[in-house]
Amino acid sequence: MDASAYALVHGVRCTRATLAAWRDRPWPVLQGWLIGALAAAGVLLAAVLTIALITPGSAASAGLGQPPFAVGDLGDVIQILHDNLLVLALHAMACVAGFMAGSSLPLQAPHHTGVVRVIHERGQPVAMAFVVCATGFSLSLQAYTIGTAAAQDAAALHASPPLLLLGLLPHALPELVALFLLLAAWIVASRRGEWERLLAATIVTVSLAVPMLVLAAAWEVYVAPRILAAIVG
């Protein structure tokens, strides 16, 4: 059996064994992921609020004719879900890449020489650095984009940014937690050196995140506009 085939078989075996172990005791694993996802969501929301508070609002540039400010339809639910699933897919790709760099590539390293062998041996730190940088950039961009939009929307509604975000929190928090579950699982596995568990973590977290995103999208389209109307008048 060549190195690539062996790495594939080894990865499948590790994934099956990990899923079986987690099936017996799921909560200790889920707890770590949920705490990490909640922490990331809290940091992002705090950054959004800070940016919204320091950004001058302009009612003229706000668009309040669509969810979550106006009740939408199934097309809006599908569009929101589509956008969130793209982000989820990117996070899933990061987890799969981490699995390959941390688990599969080291197994193949002894069968290569020169630069190729170095790449296989150094896959773990490179993958970690890439995910950290990509995540930091993504969070910063999201915080700025959402924060400035929140400032405009709050000005248009004649409400304070904290009050606006309070009305959005029931769907925004589950949505962010769902999107950050994958990254939380990635961080937990990489810190413990459990790279072989990342593929299993991807399967479980995506299975949990998709229904959460569906519910959050439906809430944003059909329920959030009514909550905001009651809160901000």
Side-chain angles (χ1 to χ4, degrees), residues 29-208:
V29 179
L30 293 176
Q31 184 180 37
W33 296 346
L34 287 172
I35 291 174
L38 280 169
V43 170
L44 179 58
L45 289 172
V48 166
L49 178 58
T50 301
I51 293 171
L53 288 171
I54 63 176
T55 301
S58 173
S61 61
L64 304 180
Q66 57 188 7
F69 305 105
V71 176
D73 54 24
L74 182 59
D76 294 306
V77 175
I78 293 174
Q79 183 59 51
I80 293 170
L81 188 59
H82 171 267
D83 295 340
N84 284 330
L85 288 179
L86 284 179
V87 177
L88 186 68
L90 290 174
H91 291 178
M93 289 174 61
C95 273
V96 174
F99 168 78
M100 294 174 61
S103 178
S104 298
L105 292 185
L107 292 175
Q108 302 176 49
H111 301 275
H112 297 281
T113 59
V115 176
V116 176
R117 178 165 183 164
V118 172
I119 293 174
H120 281 67
E121 291 176 340
R122 302 295 175 85
Q124 293 179 2
V126 171
M128 183 176 293
F130 172 78
V131 170
V132 169
C133 293
T135 302
F137 174 78
S138 175
L139 289 178
S140 300
L141 182 61
Q142 289 182 62
Y144 176 78
T145 302
I146 300 173
T148 52
Q152 312 306 329
D153 295 333
L157 292 169
H158 305 288
S160 65
L163 189 61
L164 174 63
L165 290 178
L166 180 63
L168 299 176
L169 198 62
H171 76 266
L173 185 59
E175 181 179 88
L176 291 174
V177 168
L179 292 175
F180 289 141
L181 270 176
L182 277 158
L183 295 181
W186 199 101
I187 292 172
V188 169
S190 62
R191 289 185 61 185
R192 295 176 178 175
E194 298 173 344
W195 299 89
E196 71 281 357
R197 296 191 169 192
L198 272 174
L199 191 56
T202 303
I203 296 171
V204 174
T205 51
V206 169
S207 300
L208 294 173

